[in-house]
Amino acid sequence: RSRGGVIIATLFAVGYFGFWREGCVCSIGSIQNVSLALFDTSYALPWVVGLFFVIPIVLALLVGRVFCAGACPLGAIQDLVVLRPVRVPEWLETPLRLLRYVYLGLAVLLAATGSAFIICEYDPFIAIFRRGGELGMLIFGGALLALGMFIARPYCRYLCPYGLVLGWMSRFSWRHARVDPTTCIQCHLCETACPVNAIDPPSETATDRPTARRHLAIAIIALPMLIAVGTWLGYTTRHTLARQHVDVQLADMLVAEESGSAKPVEQTLAFRATGALPEEAYAQAEVIKGQFAVGTPLLGAFCGAVLGVHFVQLARKPKRDEYLINRSRCVSCARCFKYCPHDPRNEALLKQMMAEGKVST
């Protein structure tokens, strides 16, 4: 509940896990290691990476996304630059948050097939932590930090796949901050103080029952259709995504060389030096393509299901008379506590000020 304590943890995370350890091992990137270990029995998951993956999830089940608050260096460096956060309208906030599902699914697919670790490759702050790297990634990270001065934690909210997983777990957290409806005076201070739109205000209007039922029926009917469309769209990307794997790239280079449309390159020369036959590379490439022929439809179905479930949730949106902390969005930054008149620390301060005659009520 202490914002000061969170700031101390944030500074430590940026200094140690960020600049000293140079952002590695990273809980966000550990998603890829776990995915590869689940689908490739020859890969041994390092126990440190496994701990970095599991511990924040356990904490999220207990007390919410405290890892995001001040332990994750990517979240910490963004939290330090928040100056004047603006509230992103819900019509824009919600679709932007759906990007994380696509990123998560794509990262798992590419990691499980051994194609790429895109979370690490496109980590926006790793170049900053290592004080060097590709110019494009330095610009990307700097742009996110500049944007983060006004739109708090843009990477956490709209791209971070691990934050999405922690959000799922946080929904079932054992102990989590909440707004007590028996003491809340609906002063709106906590909603205004929250920089990540994690406090849902009362819903003053409710859709009439027949209209709500009609919207829900449409959303339920649309759900399997969206899954089917997503499955088809995912399948159409199988060749493009398969080319992210080095074995498929090598096979394409060999085919181009044998057809005379390309000259030998370093990769093909190294392959031929091993004495292996091109047919072996072609066979391995076909295996990889077969994996993507299965994985890409599943990725598309997952994205379609996410969109369909979101529509169902919108159709079921009930009227609510009190404020509600959205556990999946809340990053436990503790900003809201100091603004709540009924927070224990504020009540004690108020009583002291009343005793000193500084306030009358």
Side-chain angles (χ1 to χ4, degrees):
R1 302 181 72 88
S2 170
R3 176 60 186 163
V6 172
I7 292 176
I8 293 174
T10 297
L11 292 172
F12 174 79
V14 172
Y16 181 72
F17 291 115
F19 289 103
W20 181 259
R21 300 294 301 179
E22 296 184 339
C24 192
V25 174
C26 172
S27 292
I28 302 173
S30 67
I31 291 175
Q32 302 161 124
N33 301 83
V34 172
S35 300
L36 181 58
L38 290 174
F39 290 92
D40 185 355
T41 56
S42 65
Y43 175 75
L45 180 69
W47 67 269
V48 174
V49 177
L51 287 178
F52 268 77
F53 177 77
V54 171
I55 290 176
I57 291 178
V58 174
L59 290 174
L61 287 170
L62 293 175
V63 289
R65 293 173 60 180
V66 293
F67 172 78
C68 300
C72 175
L74 277 70
I77 194 173
Q78 293 176 89
D79 197 72
L80 291 177
V81 301
V82 178
L83 295 179
R84 298 183 64 85
V86 298
R87 187 174 182 84
V88 180
E90 195 63 30
W91 61 266
L92 180 60
E93 176 84 8
T94 299
L96 285 176
R97 286 182 178 274
L98 293 178
L99 293 175
R100 300 175 300 165
Y101 291 90
V102 180
Y103 195 18
L104 173 63
L106 188 60
V108 169
L109 174 61
L110 292 177
T113 55
S115 302
F117 276 21
I118 59 172
I119 296 176
C120 298
E121 186 177 350
Y122 298 104
D123 185 326
F125 306 118
I126 197 70
I128 295 175
F129 290 143
R130 296 179 179 177
R131 281 86 71 189
E134 294 184 4
L135 179 60
M137 294 309 299
L138 283 168
I139 294 175
F140 180 40
L144 280 180
L145 291 180
L147 179 65
M149 292 190 293
F150 309 102
I151 299 178
R153 293 173 174 252
Y155 180 80
C156 298
R157 293 161 70 178
Y158 309 131
L159 289 174
C160 180
Y162 193 65
L164 176 61
V165 175
L166 294 183
W168 292 342
M169 300 299 105
S170 186
R171 290 174 181 267
F172 310 102
S173 54
W174 174 55
R175 292 180 63 85
H176 195 284
R178 70 184 187 90
V179 179
D180 188 351
T182 62
T183 59
C184 178
I185 58 175
Q186 298 196 1
C187 62
H188 312 290
L189 292 177
C190 62
E191 177 190 4
T192 304
C194 180
V196 295
N197 292 14
I199 300 181
D200 298 328
S203 178
E204 299 178 355
T205 59
T207 307
D208 60 273
R209 189 176 297 272
T211 303
R213 287 179 176 175
R214 184 167 62 253
H215 289 173
L216 181 59
I218 294 173
I220 293 176
I221 294 173
L223 176 58
M225 297 174 61
L226 289 171
I227 295 176
V229 171
T231 302
W232 174 75
L233 289 175
Y235 186 72
T236 61
T237 67
R238 65 192 185 282
H239 296 305
T240 301
L241 292 179
R243 292 190 182 96
Q244 304 304 310
H245 198 288
V246 292
D247 289 344
V248 178
Q249 295 172 9
L250 175 62
D252 290 342
M253 293 176 188
L254 292 171
V255 170
E257 285 183 14
E258 293 188 348
S259 65
S261 60
K263 296 181 179 180
V265 294
E266 182 180 351
Q267 294 90 331
T268 57
L269 291 174
F271 172 77
R272 295 183 189 279
T274 64
L277 298 175
E279 287 72 16
E280 298 178 34
Y282 302 153
Q284 180 60 27
E286 289 302 318
V287 173
I288 301 300
K289 290 179 181 179
Q291 294 175 348
F292 277 93
V294 175
T296 50
L298 293 176
L299 171 61
F302 170 71
C303 295
V306 167
L307 188 59
V309 170
H310 173 67
F311 287 148
V312 171
Q313 291 175 339
L314 287 179
R316 294 179 61 253
K317 190 174 183 179
K319 180 179 179 180
R320 188 178 58 255
D321 297 324
E322 67 275 353
Y323 277 90
L324 180 68
I325 293 182
N326 190 317
R327 296 188 177 192
S328 64
R329 292 187 182 186
C330 177
V331 294
S332 302
C333 67
R335 283 183 172 88
C336 58
F337 292 121
K338 68 177 182 179
Y339 290 95
C340 179
H342 287 286
D343 186 82
R345 296 190 180 192
N346 294 337
E347 287 185 338
L349 178 62
L350 182 61
K351 291 178 180 179
Q352 180 182 350
M353 294 176 67
M354 292 176 63
E356 296 173 356
K358 294 181 179 179
V359 294
S360 57
T361 59

